[in-house]
Amino acid sequence: MSQGRVLSHPDGLPSWFEPLLTRVASCRTEDFTPLRPPAGGGRPSAVLVLLGEDTPGEPDLLILQRAATMRNHAGQPAFPGGGTDPEDADAVDTALREAEEEVGLDPASTEVLALLPDLYIPVSSFVVTPVLAWWRRPHPVSPREPAEVAHVARLPIGELVDPENRIRVRHRSGWVGPAFQVRGLLVWGFTAGVISALLDMGGWSRPWQPGRIVELPEASAPVPAARGGAPDEVLP
């Protein structure tokens, strides 16, 4: 069983971050998904969950949108991230390297705070470690490889928790999961599942009615691993 782990608590951390950081220290895989990583094996990978603010007290989350021409996950919003390279020392290295390659993030502008529990995606055999970080010095970011990344956005937490922006989506296989419609993006699957759990842990969530279900467009719907699992949104 994997558990979250706090790595640092830097000076100057915004007060809005504290409830989430405290909760992450005791969170477990089952807080995010009923699927547990295999006892042995799995393809290691990491994603960067980067929270920052331009206006004090108004946090936002960095999200990218995959290019529409990609073979897998075309047009899907996701966290920066991908598979671990042999030269990566750990999940932090993987997440920061991928974010730099994909959107031009300066690793020195971030403060890595914690590792979330490992999350397993059976369809690709990825074992994903979400890396939680604070964007201490936000700077402009944009797609570095247009063939892979079409768009980069900072989604305000206040908009993510707005009940009007929260829905559920249904895959043609019958899989149903949480999603967000924010600033022209439909965020679903693995990414939406992690965001939803973190909004609860941070004490940000607002009551909403989960009755509204939107059918996923055919082009946006890779086959989920299993009911209750999540589609693979991590690139090899």
Side-chain angles (χ1 to χ4, degrees):
M1 183 185 303
S2 180
Q3 181 172 329
R5 180 159 58 98
V6 174
L7 303 177
S8 69
H9 195 301
D11 293 339
L13 190 69
S15 59
W16 51 259
F17 223 127
E18 183 51 47
L20 175 60
L21 196 57
T22 296
R23 179 67 180 86
V24 161
S26 61
C27 70
R28 298 179 181 275
T29 298
E30 53 264 38
D31 291 320
F32 297 87
T33 175
L35 299 176
R36 296 187 178 184
R43 304 169 61 188
S45 62
V47 295
L48 185 66
V49 182
L50 185 61
L51 291 161
E53 61 180 4
D54 276 335
T55 302
E58 298 182 10
D60 55 48
L61 178 65
L62 182 69
I63 291 291
L64 58 80
Q65 184 177 27
R66 302 293 181 198
T69 54
M70 290 191 66
R71 181 172 57 89
N72 293 319
H73 321 303
Q76 272 189 264
F79 299 117
T84 299
D85 282 353
E87 62 270 20
D88 294 338
D90 51 25
V92 172
D93 271 7
T94 299
L96 292 178
R97 174 184 55 76
E98 286 283 341
E100 183 175 16
E101 292 175 356
E102 292 179 329
V103 305
L105 178 76
D106 178 7
S109 70
T110 70
E111 297 272 2
V112 172
L113 304 179
L115 301 179
L116 303 185
D118 292 338
L119 306 176
Y120 182 46
I121 303 178
V123 70
S124 62
S125 295
F126 272 114
V127 177
V128 187
T129 304
V131 177
L132 181 65
W134 169 38
W135 205 357
R136 180 190 283 271
R137 294 185 298 277
H139 62 84
V141 289
S142 61
R144 293 285 294 272
E145 294 290 343
E148 295 184 4
V149 179
H151 179 61
V152 184
R154 294 174 64 178
L155 303 182
I157 296 298
E159 294 182 21
L160 289 169
V161 300
D162 186 336
E164 293 298 316
N165 295 333
R166 302 198 68 168
I167 60 172
R168 291 190 297 163
V169 293
R170 178 163 48 216
H171 185 270
R172 60 182 177 271
S173 67
W175 175 88
V176 175
F180 302 84
Q181 288 182 315
V182 180
R183 301 199 172 193
L185 298 176
L186 175 62
V187 184
W188 67 284
F190 173 85
T191 303
V194 172
I195 292 173
S196 181
L198 293 179
L199 293 178
D200 290 343
M201 293 179 190
W204 295 317
S205 292
R206 294 167 53 188
W208 64 289
Q209 295 298 322
R212 186 160 58 112
I213 298 179
V214 173
E215 303 294 330
L216 278 171
E218 195 75 16
S220 301
V223 178
R227 188 177 300 276
D232 177 5
E233 292 182 12
V234 179
L235 299 179

